[in-house]
Amino acid sequence: MDTARELDNRNRADDDAAKPLIDVEERSMQDTPYPEKTVGKPFVDAPKMKLRHVNVFYADNQAIHDVSLDIGKNEVISLIGPSGCGKSTFLRSLNRMNDTIDICRVKGELHLDDQDLYDPKLDVVELRARVGMVFQKPNPFPKSIYDNVAYGPRLHGLADKKYDLDEIVENSLRKAGLWTEVKDRLHSPGTGLSGGQQQRLCIARTIAVSPEVVLMDEPCSALDPIATAKIEELIDELSESYTIAIVTHSMQQAARVSHRTAYFHLGRLIEVNDTETVFTKPEHELTEAYITGRFG
Ligand SMILES: Nc1ncnc2c1ncn2[C@@H]1O[C@H](COP(=O)(O)OP(=O)(O)O)[C@@H](O)[C@H]1O
Ligand SMILES: [Mg+2]
């Protein structure tokens, strides 16, 4: 009996020795307790979005556990963490994109200024104009460049005259850094552009309805480094007019573009701090393990 246990233990030890180091580390991190509440600075003085005790479920599986966070006016906040930790789920709960997933339930208090995002009387189409979203894969409509950008303003009746609509389209394309590249082919299909241009077109389409918040879910992960650099530059410029929350799996990108960084781990918000603090002096052991590449 004892021998069996000893043998078993020895086998287990051998197993461990045979596995790559990262796996052992990863397992040891599983013993690290979550903080009782998010460490660092989850709250700010001038919040644009106030999110309290957010819990998100897919049927019986809980993907987000009691997350409380402010998103400040005109700030760029990065959401980082290992794959599957709930970044997209959390982001999608901020403009009720999760409503489109049947089994998904969002609980908690989520406010945009004083507006309760989950007020049953709220017009969700209007909300998604105030809180726009850019996705991982550029998804222009199968329409002309012009019509892609004009789509939202038309839907929301933002321009009565052709002249006004032209102006919105031009301004949005300018802000998205795409105008000079497309001004001579506004009526060609948006899908004919390069990947990076398509993503800037999607950003132009999002900002054409003058959103207050722009959510971006890994907006550069399908792009090459040059197109990525252009989008990152753009994020910096856009933050003058908008509040931006960006999910990224690139820590370098989070460090380059964001003011604050939020670290998620298995559905929990472990730490939120100024981006520099997160990457140079993380307060929690799990954050440190992630940013030093011990798992993820
Ligand atoms: N549409 C869905 N239906 C069921 N479960 C989902 C769905 N989307 C995500 N999940 C689950 O929720 C958890 C968080 O996923 P996600 O938000 O996509 O993480 P991340 O964006 O950090 O990779 C995962 O366990 C994932 O399997
Ligand atoms: Mg995701």
Side-chain angles (χ1 to χ4, degrees), residues 12 22 36 45 55 65 98 122 135 137 141 149 173 188 213-215 251 256 259 263 286 292 294:
R12 220 176 285 141
I22 188 132
E36 223 161 87
D45 290 337
N55 290 282
H65 297 258
N98 282 333
L122 181 69
F135 299 86
K137 203 163 160 277
F141 301 137
V149 185
L173 286 168
S188 344
V213 180
V214 180
L215 310 175
M251 287 186 262
R256 283 192 295 263
H259 308 127
Y263 174 65
L286 286 168
T292 55
R294 275 190 272 155

Side-chain angles (χ1 to χ4, degrees), residues 235-254:
I235 290 171
D236 196 44
E237 283 160 28
L238 295 176
S239 72
E240 284 170 26
S241 323
Y242 313 99
T243 297
I244 299 174
I246 175 174
V247 169
T248 175
H249 65 255
S250 155
M251 287 186 262
Q252 287 83 352
Q253 178 163 77

Side-chain angles (χ1 to χ4, degrees), residues 29 263 284-295:
M29 291 318 297
Y263 174 65
H284 198 273
E285 205 183 327
L286 286 168
T287 317
E288 192 192 1
Y290 181 69
I291 62 143
T292 55
R294 275 190 272 155
F295 58 81

Side-chain angles (χ1 to χ4, degrees), residues 58 63 82-89 92 101 103:
Y58 293 103
S83 177
C85 69
K87 305 176 297 292
S88 297
T89 298
R92 285 197 304 260
I101 303 170
I103 56 168

Side-chain angles (χ1 to χ4, degrees), residues 158-178:
L158 299 184
D160 296 335
K161 302 194 182 70
K162 166 111 180 31
Y163 172 84
D164 294 331
L165 193 57
D166 287 351
E167 193 173 81
I168 293 176
V169 170
E170 177 174 339
N171 281 339
S172 307
L173 286 168
R174 277 190 194 282
K175 279 195 205 157
L178 192 58

